[in-house]
Amino acid sequence: MTHALFPDIQPYQQGMLAVSGLHSIYYEQSGNPAGQPVVFLHGGPGSGCNPGQRRYFDPAHYRIILLDQRGCGRSTPQGEVEENTIDHLVADLDALRQHLAIDRWLVFGGSWGSTLALNYALAYPQHVAGLILRGIFLSRPSELDWFLHDVQHFFPEAWQQLLSYLPAAEQHDPLSAFAKRVFSDEPSISEPAAIHWNAFEASIMTLLPSATTSEQGINGKIELARARVQIHYIKNQCFVGERNLLAEAAARLQQIPTVIVQGRYDMVCPPLTAHELHNAMPHAELHMIPDAGHSGMEAGTRSALIAATEKFKQALG
């Protein structure tokens, strides 16, 4: 059975929550105010949420909560990396839960959002009714090395395009080279570098090539915030460090209903990680989508994610 996106809806509430003296995070609620709470965790790190993400959920059933993580999207200060680690993001999630007077919620996270969802569930299992995880990423060195080097075996053109922005002397270490430019105080340096950096990930997102985005529609400040947050996290191994999330999940998350959705040809977050997570959490459902890459909006992945939200309506409703 193929599941279609639910109709486009507008939030019934939007707000800003001060989570520190520096940071305030944007959040919104849509759907049924008295419904089953679900929180959507966006990827990146740095991407921010968007209206299409509300459409994975039946608005008649779910109280749909989206947020922009620290430094992302409409959160302020935009692109700020001080006081911005995964532990801060986990604490922010629970602060938002308390602010909204929610006891337990379904947690839905894709890509980097799956990392954050797992870390949140490990910190606050009593507040997690279930997990829907897509495009699994655990921030291990091997996964970061894949994204920053090994993926060139499949996308040599995209990799060459990324490196072509840099002088030959700096192409051996593109992360540091782009960090130097993206964190420049001069917008004429930082914004073009951010746009070029972000274009690399966009070019390897889907199984089949997608239409190229017109540069006329690109917002340099948004691109810069996204790139600064992402590079900040990658340079710090996403602040996961030496934690063995697989072992922790195996030991502590066996009682949380979980659905894992993974594209077989995901070149951003290869399927080995999803396979290993399923081995650590054998009670979880694993749906390996045979004709999908990384994007959550590819047909097979989208349908499987909506099937999961429909299943949780019955299981938790």
Side-chain angles (χ1 to χ4, degrees), residues 11-34:
Y12 64 78
Q13 193 233 341
Q14 296 171 289
M16 299 292 291
L17 178 65
V19 290
S20 76
L22 176 60
H23 287 276
S24 292
I25 60 169
Y26 167 85
Y27 70 92
E28 63 176 53
Q29 300 191 81
S30 57
N32 181 354

Side-chain angles (χ1 to χ4, degrees), residues 28-58:
E28 63 176 53
Q29 300 191 81
S30 57
N32 181 354
Q36 179 184 339
V38 58
V39 62
F40 182 96
L41 307 181
H42 66 71
S47 296
C49 60
N50 66 71
Q53 292 158 350
R54 306 170 193 143
R55 301 182 64 189
Y56 289 114
F57 312 99
D58 179 353

Side-chain angles (χ1 to χ4, degrees), residues 123-201:
Y124 298 99
Q126 70 275 26
H127 297 303
V128 178
L131 291 167
I132 299 175
L133 307 172
R134 174 197 61 81
I136 307 304
F137 176 61
L138 298 180
S139 307
R140 297 176 296 180
S142 60
E143 296 170 69
L144 295 170
D145 289 345
W146 168 269
F147 180 68
L148 290 170
H149 186 265
D150 295 342
V151 74
Q152 68 178 297
H153 291 284
F154 286 88
F155 287 94
E157 304 92 344
W159 185 253
Q160 184 177 10
Q161 181 68 14
L162 177 71
L163 296 188
S164 70
Y165 192 82
L166 304 170
E170 296 183 71
Q171 291 182 3
H172 68 286
D173 186 0
L175 181 63
S176 295
F178 273 96
K180 180 172 68 174
R181 290 161 175 79
V182 163
F183 283 95
S184 168
D185 292 330
E186 177 52 59
S188 65
I189 295 173
S190 60
E191 291 184 11
I195 290 168
H196 201 87
W197 170 267
N198 294 337
F200 169 66
E201 184 176 7

Side-chain angles (χ1 to χ4, degrees), residues 72-84:
C72 304
R74 288 150 287 189
S75 293
T76 59
Q78 193 177 57
E80 180 58 67
V81 299
E82 293 297 319
E83 299 178 16
N84 198 338

Side-chain angles (χ1 to χ4, degrees), residues 231-311:
I231 289 174
H232 163 69
Y233 271 83
I234 292 176
K235 283 181 71 69
N236 289 282
Q237 292 190 328
C238 295
F239 300 95
V240 173
E242 299 304 313
R243 287 184 65 184
N244 187 335
L245 294 179
L246 291 173
E248 292 185 45
R252 298 167 53 201
L253 300 183
Q254 299 301 325
Q255 303 306 312
I256 296 179
T258 301
V259 175
I260 301 167
V261 178
Q262 176 71 41
R264 171 67 71 187
Y265 296 100
D266 186 337
M267 291 293 164
V268 180
C269 300
L272 175 62
T273 304
H275 176 76
E276 291 173 332
L277 181 63
H278 184 241
N279 286 343
M281 300 175 67
H283 73 288
E285 291 183 17
L286 172 60
H287 299 275
M288 192 71 72
I289 311 303
D291 57 352
H294 184 65
S295 172
M297 283 296 176
E298 290 181 80
T301 301
R302 182 180 66 220
S303 181
L305 291 170
I306 296 168
T309 67
E310 288 291 281
K311 176 175 180 173

